Amino acid sequence: MKKIAIIGGGACGSAALIELLIQSRTAKLEKEVSFVFIERREKAGYGLAFGSKQRTHILNTQADLMGIYANEPAHFAEWLKEHGGKYRSDVKSESNEDNAYTSRLFYGHYVAEQLDENIKKAAENNIKVERIEAEAYDIERLENEKLVIHLTNNSSAEVDEVLLAPGTPKPNIFKQFRDNKHYIDFPWPTERLLENTGKNDHVGVLGTSLSAIDTVMSLVDNGHKGKITMFSPDGMLPRVQPDESNGFERKFLTLANLHKLKRDKGHTPRAKELFRLFIKDVEKAEGKSIDWKSLNRDSKDQLPLLEYDIEVAEKGGDNVSNMAYSMRYDTSTIWSWMSLHEQIIFTKWLGRHWTITRHAIPLHNAKRLAKLMKEGQLQIIPQNNKVEFLDDENCFEITTGNDGVFKIDKLVNATGSAGKLEQMDNILVQNLLKKDYLKPHPIGGTVINPHTMQCISENGGTHIYAVGHLVNGMLMNVNAVWFNVKTIARLASEIIFKTTTNGHI
């Protein structure tokens, strides 16, 4: 009998166990496979992403894309309708349940429920799942290719296959401030943030992305009265998602046209070519040429831009944002067709502009941000060049390019998930990196076979897999549940195929 381990019990780890159990159960593999599910928290299914007790922390994706089953994307929206629908206090919607944005915790309840149901069904079919409440800190590869997982409860587990699903990796930057009581190295769990900030403190938030916005929401929802200043190199806020998009039909930037380009020109898609096709599609929809340089939001006053985004989102979005969202299901394929050289060019040249457009703020939160900015409690500052702590004044000093120097009572690192392996504050990841069981990808995350999700490295062998943010360099959309469950379904099929007799199911 082959034993399969899933390390991490957040949404990705839970989705992986669910899919593996479904495939094992339908293939009648009760005598051939068993599972070890390792999660350090008492409750699985939540993780950091969906364990927040802040009811105002809402998802950044509408309900009809959040199904935990790869081939049932609308499952969560259907479940929502059966559990109170859009009239719940933890659901934000100006239309129907399919387009609703629920609280993160409510979504965590959904994942946990589906996990429990599938484990029970597996038990009824004599498929064993061993639940271990501990943290995995190292993996040892034996000569017989088996893997020993070392755990913080002074035990270990010997298995045949390991799936790494560590969830949202905390960044290890600004290590010099870790012992400083005025510094919060990560905004999750929310309790740490609230315990270490006073109601009247001037709080500095490093970052202006979705994580930073959630940090602001946490503070004001808990009665914060002091100033909040968000700092980032470009000072750009994400754009705003409509509750219901007008949709967009692409004519130029399509998979068919890019494949024809490969066929005719004999090279993979280039960043400049992609941008030119993007421009052609948007300008065709607009019926006119656009001054694209004027759309650059770097270091500009964000309030007028936010107000504009709110206005167009209420009307179903503009052509730029709708074009980006129309590419939801094609971007991972396009990314896989690009060479590493072109991926790096795209990341440096267009990456941040793509990110603020494609990963936008739900309309409900955007309106709250605009209100805070108009009232003067919140400000957005670009070009933060230097961060240091002044011992004599007992505060942080942040030097910026255009706006001068800011003195901050408390500083929160909300720059988002760490991208590169060496920046991930995770003991298991760091130990696997030291042993060359994981190979860093130049853009971020670990190198994998994107078809099977198997980690490719010098010493790791062929029995370690990874999903989610751990593969952020090789795959796009790894922050999206809908994308992760699709890769998990593919991965599960590969693992089940390998673990059955002679590779046959």
Side-chain angles (χ1 to χ4, degrees):
M1 179 176 284
K2 296 294 180 72
K3 186 175 287 189
I4 303 164
I6 297 93
I7 299 177
C12 275
S14 297
L17 180 57
I18 288 170
E19 183 63 28
L20 283 162
L21 290 176
I22 291 172
Q23 292 195 27
S24 300
R25 188 159 51 86
T26 54
K28 313 299 182 187
L29 300 180
E30 63 275 4
K31 294 182 180 179
E32 297 189 53
V33 296
S34 66
F35 299 91
V36 178
F37 189 46
I38 301 168
E39 164 59 32
R40 61 186 175 86
R41 298 174 185 84
E42 180 182 357
K43 294 182 179 180
Y46 296 88
L48 281 177
F50 306 117
S52 171
K53 295 179 181 178
Q54 293 293 122
R55 294 167 70 86
T56 52
H57 280 177
I58 61 177
L59 301 176
N60 296 308
T61 303
Q62 62 265 37
D64 65 348
L65 291 172
M66 293 294 290
I68 202 66
Y69 302 104
N71 296 299
E72 299 179 63
H75 185 269
F76 175 55
E78 294 164 2
W79 184 89
L80 172 59
K81 291 173 186 176
E82 297 171 359
H83 291 77
K86 68 177 184 178
Y87 300 105
R88 295 176 57 97
S89 62
D90 48 8
V91 175
K92 308 300 177 186
S93 175
E94 296 182 12
S95 54
N96 55 31
E97 284 86 350
D98 292 346
N99 296 300
Y101 296 83
T102 78
S103 74
R104 290 178 174 273
L105 183 60
F106 185 60
Y107 184 75
H109 294 334
Y110 159 75
V111 176
E113 180 185 291
Q114 300 307 306
L115 177 65
D116 288 343
E117 286 183 4
N118 280 277
I119 290 175
K120 287 176 183 175
K121 288 179 181 177
E124 291 168 1
N125 288 270
N126 299 312
I127 296 174
K128 183 182 178 183
V129 178
E130 180 186 1
R131 169 77 161 90
I132 299 177
E133 189 179 328
E135 183 175 5
Y137 67 87
D138 202 2
I139 296 175
E140 178 185 0
R141 180 183 167 208
L142 305 180
E143 290 184 3
N144 63 1
E145 291 299 312
K146 286 186 179 290
L147 299 161
V148 177
I149 304 169
H150 296 283
L151 303 161
T152 52
N153 63 0
N154 296 318
S155 70
S156 62
E158 186 175 305
V159 302
D160 298 279
E161 311 284 342
V162 171
L163 168 58
L164 303 175
T168 306
K170 183 167 71 171
N172 61 16
I173 57 177
F174 295 111
K175 292 180 180 178
Q176 69 272 31
F177 301 138
R178 280 206 170 164
D179 296 328
N180 191 314
K181 64 181 181 179
H182 296 265
Y183 175 68
I184 297 97
D185 65 351
F186 203 51
W188 323 120
T190 310
E191 290 77 11
R192 293 178 61 246
L193 172 69
L194 301 177
E195 288 170 2
N196 289 282
T197 54
K199 301 289 187 186
N200 297 309
D201 285 342
H202 184 177
V203 177
V205 178
L206 296 175
T208 52
S209 66
L210 296 175
S211 293
I213 291 166
D214 278 344
T215 303
V216 173
M217 296 296 104
S218 297
L219 290 168
V220 297
D221 286 339
N222 286 275
H224 190 81
K225 303 298 182 185
K227 282 191 174 183
I228 304 171
T229 306
M230 303 172 77
F231 300 92
S232 74
D234 54 34
M236 294 196 298
L237 286 172
R239 297 205 62 196
V240 181
Q241 293 187 47
D243 279 347
E244 291 189 66
S245 170
N246 289 332
F248 193 98
E249 184 180 358
R250 285 175 283 129
K251 301 289 187 181
F252 303 102
L253 185 46
T254 65
L255 292 181
N257 285 342
L258 291 177
H259 192 272
K260 184 177 184 299
L261 181 150
K262 290 167 64 178
R263 194 160 46 82
D264 291 347
K265 296 190 177 181
H267 65 73
T268 56
R270 294 170 179 165
K272 285 186 178 180
E273 292 169 331
L274 294 173
F275 189 42
R276 288 180 188 134
L277 292 172
F278 188 98
I279 288 172
K280 287 182 71 174
D281 266 317
V282 173
E283 291 187 344
K284 179 175 176 58
E286 289 280 329
K288 62 181 180 181
S289 296
I290 296 173
D291 179 5
W292 287 87
K293 288 185 178 180
S294 70
L295 301 185
N296 185 353
R297 299 180 170 215
D298 191 333
S299 300
K300 291 184 178 178
D301 183 356
Q302 295 299 297
L303 179 56
L305 296 171
L306 182 59
E307 290 177 322
Y308 165 80
D309 285 347
I310 290 170
E311 181 181 349
V312 298
E314 290 178 325
K315 298 175 182 177
D318 63 12
N319 284 314
V320 173
S321 59
N322 289 337
M323 167 71 175
Y325 271 84
S326 77
M327 296 180 64
R328 173 183 281 122
Y329 299 115
D330 290 346
T331 49
S332 58
T333 300
I334 295 170
W335 187 253
S336 71
W337 286 354
M338 296 170 70
S339 68
L340 176 60
H341 175 71
E342 290 299 322
Q343 288 175 343
I344 292 172
I345 289 175
F346 179 89
T347 301
K348 291 181 177 179
W349 177 41
L350 293 169
R352 59 204 177 97
H353 302 288
W354 172 259
T355 297
I356 67 164
T357 306
R358 180 61 187 83
H359 302 290
I361 315 168
L363 182 56
H364 175 79
N365 276 354
K367 291 177 179 179
R368 298 184 67 203
L369 278 182
K371 183 174 184 291
L372 290 170
M373 293 170 74
K374 289 176 185 176
E375 292 171 348
Q377 186 178 3
L378 174 66
Q379 57 183 338
I380 315 293
I381 302 297
Q383 300 178 15
N384 55 313
N385 296 327
K386 186 179 180 182
V387 180
E388 58 183 337
F389 187 74
L390 306 179
D391 290 304
D392 55 337
E393 298 185 44
N394 208 30
C395 68
F396 280 94
E397 183 177 83
I398 300 178
T399 305
T400 68
N402 291 336
D403 296 278
V405 176
F406 293 79
K407 292 185 178 179
I408 304 296
D409 297 315
K410 300 291 172 59
L411 185 65
V412 185
N413 183 359
T415 52
S417 304
K420 293 184 177 296
L421 291 182
E422 61 271 19
Q423 295 174 348
M424 296 182 183
D425 188 8
N426 181 293
I427 187 171
L428 177 61
V429 170
Q430 295 309 315
N431 282 334
L432 297 183
L433 184 58
K434 289 174 186 175
K435 297 162 73 169
D436 292 325
Y437 282 18
L438 298 178
K439 181 180 179 180
H441 187 273
I443 294 175
T446 189
V447 175
I448 58 165
N449 177 337
H451 304 291
T452 65
M453 308 301 288
Q454 178 203 312
C455 297
I456 307 296
S457 64
E458 296 295 325
N459 300 324
T462 60
H463 300 280
I464 300 176
Y465 299 79
V467 293
H469 199 79
L470 203 52
V471 298
N472 71 84
M474 291 202 67
L475 301 179
M476 293 194 82
N477 299 319
V478 295
N479 290 324
V481 169
W482 67 264
F483 179 77
N484 286 330
V485 296
K486 286 184 177 295
T487 61
I488 283 166
R490 192 165 67 240
L491 175 157
S493 296
E494 170 70 11
I495 291 178
I496 293 298
F497 180 80
K498 280 176 61 178
T499 55
T500 52
T501 305
N502 298 322
H504 298 295
I505 295 178

